Amino acid sequence: MPALRPGPHHWFAERLLAVVSGRRPVHSLLGHTVGPAYQQLVNLAPAEQALRERLSPVVRQCGRFIPGPGVIEAFARIATGDRVTAMAFRLEQGPDLRWRCAAVEIQGPRP
């Protein structure tokens, strides 16, 4: 049985987590967001360097729902030690067939 190839929601889950945990700058996703998603990331990203250095959250699970062509509504369970956070995001496929994040939300203790 062939191994399943991760979808775009896996790639985005890892990149979004890297931004909201401060491991990557927000502008690293500038070309990968549309609409209000970039500003949402600016608001979610930590401002303090000390916060960025002490966190090591990881994606524990990533899933998706496809409500229609060119749209993925995805979730990721994020673990930071024994804390669990939920991250939801929406991906939209543009005319160029590239996936872009259109919205992101984090519920629970922030990673």
Side-chain angles (χ1 to χ4, degrees), residues 3-89:
L4 292 177
R5 195 174 125 191
H9 59 292
H10 290 97
W11 186 89
F12 273 93
E14 293 290 344
R15 293 327 178 276
L16 291 169
L17 178 59
V19 167
V20 299
S21 65
R23 290 180 291 173
R24 292 181 66 115
V26 177
H27 70 265
S28 67
L29 286 176
L30 190 56
H32 301 284
T33 58
V34 293
Y38 187 77
Q39 187 58 48
Q40 289 171 316
L41 288 172
V42 168
N43 294 338
L44 290 170
E48 298 177 22
Q49 182 66 29
L51 181 62
R52 291 180 216 168
E53 292 171 354
R54 69 177 172 83
L55 298 177
S56 57
V58 294
V59 174
R60 288 286 182 219
Q61 182 183 16
C62 188
R64 69 171 188 223
F65 171 70
I66 301 175
V71 177
I72 296 174
E73 293 180 352
F75 74 89
R77 287 191 182 105
I78 310 299
T80 307
D82 59 355
R83 293 183 321 165
V84 177
T85 303
M87 179 171 62
F89 52 99

Side-chain angles (χ1 to χ4, degrees), residues 8 70 92-100:
E92 296 176 353
Q93 194 173 37
D96 60 358
L97 302 181
R98 290 182 52 204
W99 290 98
R100 291 177 180 86

